[in-house]
Amino acid sequence: MIVVPGPSSKELGTTVGQILRLKAVQLEFKHFPDDENYIRFTGEISGQDVTIIQSTGPPQDQNLIQLLIIASAAKDLGARSVIAVVPYLAYARQDKRFRPGEAISMMTVTRLLEASGIDRLITVNIHSQAVLRSLRIPGESLSAISLLAEHFRRLGLKKPLSIAPDKGASDIAIEADEILKGGHGWMSKERDRITGEVKMEERELNAKGRDVVIFDDMISTGGTMVAAAAMLTKHGARSVYAACVHPLLVGGAQEKILASGAREIVGTDCILSPVSKVSVAPIIAEALRRYM
Ligand code: R5P
């Protein structure tokens, strides 16, 4: 197996290659003056099992098209097989029609991934498992929650409470609690589908005097974490931390979350950001070992 670190995940791809002692083939990459992508493999691809590591965080469309070009070029150059490691899979939140007439964007993305010659997809904490079920190639979603929880264990917090900001993320809080062992719970979130505004309904959280870590799959605008951190502070939490796998952090999310009372925001390098303090390289390497 050889590893090809894509332009959006150069560091992560290189680290995974080093952990597995794989040969890395670098890409020559540039934008044409009109912003179209140019990609060229600088090493031999023919006959190889190729693993591409390319996340599709912002700018999503740019990173996605690069992934498609790299994968189809690898096949075109004679790769025996192509595994795409896409730590953050863009569009996974639009996996169904929430309002009449909406595009199911994820369906378009999955069809493009399949058509590009990718034989297997590996992603991390995909927003919806339904996406994997609709894929016509094998796909799996790894979990980075234990890596995030380990980070908080090392901080030395006193049996922190693991909280999910909505019921849908309660599995994440349960997973974190297996390491943090301070108990877990979930909040009741309502989002206005048109304005995007987030509201938290009152419910018993048993957070008084506790260190609390809010775990979510992603932070985008920060609306969810802001509302969750504010409510936990109101409930008397001693300290509040915000943790996510995918720190998209758009529109000043980081500043807003810190202003709402959270002490720290911790994310992974699924998407490189100022809060990417935890690397998912070990879990990706472990998953790839099965195919070497
Ligand atoms: C929603 O279901 C997700 O798990 C996240 O809670 C959400 O996408 C976060 O978005 P934002 O940061 O914009 O509230």
PDB file of all heavy atoms in Angstrom, residues 3-5 10 14 24-28 40-43:
ATOM      1  N   VAL A   3       0.594   5.681   0.343  1.00  0.00           N
ATOM      2  CA  VAL A   3      -0.317   6.713   0.827  1.00  0.00           C
ATOM      3  C   VAL A   3      -0.111   7.993   0.017  1.00  0.00           C
ATOM      4  O   VAL A   3       1.019   8.346  -0.333  1.00  0.00           O
ATOM      5  CB  VAL A   3      -0.148   6.939   2.354  1.00  0.00           C
ATOM      6  CG1 VAL A   3       1.205   7.553   2.691  1.00  0.00           C
ATOM      7  CG2 VAL A   3      -1.254   7.807   2.913  1.00  0.00           C
ATOM      8  N   VAL A   4      -1.227   8.626  -0.300  1.00  0.00           N
ATOM      9  CA  VAL A   4      -1.170   9.895  -1.026  1.00  0.00           C
ATOM     10  C   VAL A   4      -1.849  10.955  -0.164  1.00  0.00           C
ATOM     11  O   VAL A   4      -3.072  10.984  -0.043  1.00  0.00           O
ATOM     12  CB  VAL A   4      -1.901   9.777  -2.394  1.00  0.00           C
ATOM     13  CG1 VAL A   4      -1.921  11.125  -3.107  1.00  0.00           C
ATOM     14  CG2 VAL A   4      -1.256   8.719  -3.270  1.00  0.00           C
ATOM     15  N   PRO A   5      -1.063  11.807   0.498  1.00  0.00           N
ATOM     16  CA  PRO A   5      -1.695  12.874   1.299  1.00  0.00           C
ATOM     17  C   PRO A   5      -2.279  13.934   0.359  1.00  0.00           C
ATOM     18  O   PRO A   5      -1.569  14.496  -0.461  1.00  0.00           O
ATOM     19  CB  PRO A   5      -0.533  13.446   2.121  1.00  0.00           C
ATOM     20  CG  PRO A   5       0.610  12.465   1.967  1.00  0.00           C
ATOM     21  CD  PRO A   5       0.407  11.811   0.637  1.00  0.00           C
ATOM     22  N   LYS A  10      -2.613  17.258   4.238  1.00  0.00           N
ATOM     23  CA  LYS A  10      -1.196  16.920   4.000  1.00  0.00           C
ATOM     24  C   LYS A  10      -0.518  16.372   5.256  1.00  0.00           C
ATOM     25  O   LYS A  10       0.115  15.328   5.240  1.00  0.00           O
ATOM     26  CB  LYS A  10      -0.454  18.159   3.511  1.00  0.00           C
ATOM     27  CG  LYS A  10       0.157  17.956   2.143  1.00  0.00           C
ATOM     28  CD  LYS A  10       0.821  19.209   1.653  1.00  0.00           C
ATOM     29  CE  LYS A  10       1.658  18.961   0.406  1.00  0.00           C
ATOM     30  NZ  LYS A  10       2.478  17.789   0.390  1.00  0.00           N
ATOM     31  N   THR A  14       0.520  12.509   5.981  1.00  0.00           N
ATOM     32  CA  THR A  14       1.943  12.209   6.176  1.00  0.00           C
ATOM     33  C   THR A  14       2.132  11.445   7.484  1.00  0.00           C
ATOM     34  O   THR A  14       2.866  10.457   7.545  1.00  0.00           O
ATOM     35  CB  THR A  14       2.757  13.528   6.179  1.00  0.00           C
ATOM     36  OG1 THR A  14       2.481  14.201   4.955  1.00  0.00           O
ATOM     37  CG2 THR A  14       4.242  13.278   6.317  1.00  0.00           C
ATOM     38  N   ALA A  24       5.077   7.275   0.790  1.00  0.00           N
ATOM     39  CA  ALA A  24       4.130   8.356   0.472  1.00  0.00           C
ATOM     40  C   ALA A  24       4.435   8.886  -0.926  1.00  0.00           C
ATOM     41  O   ALA A  24       5.595   9.158  -1.255  1.00  0.00           O
ATOM     42  CB  ALA A  24       4.236   9.468   1.493  1.00  0.00           C
ATOM     43  N   VAL A  25       3.426   8.988  -1.747  1.00  0.00           N
ATOM     44  CA  VAL A  25       3.589   9.624  -3.061  1.00  0.00           C
ATOM     45  C   VAL A  25       2.967  11.018  -2.956  1.00  0.00           C
ATOM     46  O   VAL A  25       1.781  11.162  -2.639  1.00  0.00           O
ATOM     47  CB  VAL A  25       2.929   8.786  -4.181  1.00  0.00           C
ATOM     48  CG1 VAL A  25       2.863   9.582  -5.474  1.00  0.00           C
ATOM     49  CG2 VAL A  25       3.700   7.490  -4.398  1.00  0.00           C
ATOM     50  N   GLN A  26       3.802  12.010  -3.183  1.00  0.00           N
ATOM     51  CA  GLN A  26       3.311  13.393  -3.057  1.00  0.00           C
ATOM     52  C   GLN A  26       2.616  13.838  -4.334  1.00  0.00           C
ATOM     53  O   GLN A  26       2.886  13.297  -5.415  1.00  0.00           O
ATOM     54  CB  GLN A  26       4.473  14.350  -2.754  1.00  0.00           C
ATOM     55  CG  GLN A  26       5.254  14.000  -1.495  1.00  0.00           C
ATOM     56  CD  GLN A  26       4.393  13.993  -0.222  1.00  0.00           C
ATOM     57  OE1 GLN A  26       3.373  14.685  -0.155  1.00  0.00           O
ATOM     58  NE2 GLN A  26       4.788  13.207   0.764  1.00  0.00           N
ATOM     59  N   LEU A  27       1.742  14.796  -4.180  1.00  0.00           N
ATOM     60  CA  LEU A  27       1.068  15.368  -5.339  1.00  0.00           C
ATOM     61  C   LEU A  27       1.683  16.712  -5.666  1.00  0.00           C
ATOM     62  O   LEU A  27       1.986  17.493  -4.763  1.00  0.00           O
ATOM     63  CB  LEU A  27      -0.416  15.590  -5.034  1.00  0.00           C
ATOM     64  CG  LEU A  27      -1.260  14.344  -4.796  1.00  0.00           C
ATOM     65  CD1 LEU A  27      -2.640  14.740  -4.287  1.00  0.00           C
ATOM     66  CD2 LEU A  27      -1.381  13.520  -6.074  1.00  0.00           C
ATOM     67  N   GLU A  28       1.859  16.953  -6.959  1.00  0.00           N
ATOM     68  CA  GLU A  28       2.164  18.317  -7.358  1.00  0.00           C
ATOM     69  C   GLU A  28       0.801  18.954  -7.543  1.00  0.00           C
ATOM     70  O   GLU A  28      -0.052  18.405  -8.236  1.00  0.00           O
ATOM     71  CB  GLU A  28       2.946  18.293  -8.682  1.00  0.00           C
ATOM     72  CG  GLU A  28       3.396  19.649  -9.129  1.00  0.00           C
ATOM     73  CD  GLU A  28       4.051  19.582 -10.513  1.00  0.00           C
ATOM     74  OE1 GLU A  28       4.668  18.540 -10.844  1.00  0.00           O
ATOM     75  OE2 GLU A  28       3.896  20.559 -11.254  1.00  0.00           O
ATOM     76  N   ARG A  40      -0.963  16.378 -10.120  1.00  0.00           N
ATOM     77  CA  ARG A  40      -0.056  15.433 -10.783  1.00  0.00           C
ATOM     78  C   ARG A  40       0.610  14.558  -9.729  1.00  0.00           C
ATOM     79  O   ARG A  40       1.099  15.068  -8.719  1.00  0.00           O
ATOM     80  CB  ARG A  40       1.017  16.234 -11.540  1.00  0.00           C
ATOM     81  CG  ARG A  40       2.018  15.368 -12.233  1.00  0.00           C
ATOM     82  CD  ARG A  40       3.050  16.181 -13.034  1.00  0.00           C
ATOM     83  NE  ARG A  40       4.220  15.345 -13.220  1.00  0.00           N
ATOM     84  CZ  ARG A  40       5.301  15.350 -12.425  1.00  0.00           C
ATOM     85  NH1 ARG A  40       5.382  16.225 -11.437  1.00  0.00           N
ATOM     86  NH2 ARG A  40       6.301  14.523 -12.632  1.00  0.00           N
ATOM     87  N   PHE A  41       0.583  13.240  -9.930  1.00  0.00           N
ATOM     88  CA  PHE A  41       1.277  12.325  -9.015  1.00  0.00           C
ATOM     89  C   PHE A  41       2.765  12.396  -9.327  1.00  0.00           C
ATOM     90  O   PHE A  41       3.159  12.324 -10.490  1.00  0.00           O
ATOM     91  CB  PHE A  41       0.788  10.888  -9.229  1.00  0.00           C
ATOM     92  CG  PHE A  41      -0.610  10.650  -8.722  1.00  0.00           C
ATOM     93  CD1 PHE A  41      -1.708  10.874  -9.531  1.00  0.00           C
ATOM     94  CD2 PHE A  41      -0.818  10.193  -7.429  1.00  0.00           C
ATOM     95  CE1 PHE A  41      -2.996  10.662  -9.070  1.00  0.00           C
ATOM     96  CE2 PHE A  41      -2.110   9.972  -6.954  1.00  0.00           C
ATOM     97  CZ  PHE A  41      -3.198  10.210  -7.778  1.00  0.00           C
ATOM     98  N   THR A  42       3.605  12.493  -8.280  1.00  0.00           N
ATOM     99  CA  THR A  42       5.043  12.589  -8.525  1.00  0.00           C
ATOM    100  C   THR A  42       5.734  11.228  -8.394  1.00  0.00           C
ATOM    101  O   THR A  42       6.953  11.154  -8.487  1.00  0.00           O
ATOM    102  CB  THR A  42       5.714  13.591  -7.558  1.00  0.00           C
ATOM    103  OG1 THR A  42       5.515  13.091  -6.215  1.00  0.00           O
ATOM    104  CG2 THR A  42       5.111  14.983  -7.669  1.00  0.00           C
ATOM    105  N   GLY A  43       4.957  10.170  -8.149  1.00  0.00           N
ATOM    106  CA  GLY A  43       5.559   8.825  -8.029  1.00  0.00           C
ATOM    107  C   GLY A  43       4.715   7.798  -8.752  1.00  0.00           C
ATOM    108  O   GLY A  43       3.632   8.105  -9.262  1.00  0.00           O
TER     109      GLY A  43
END
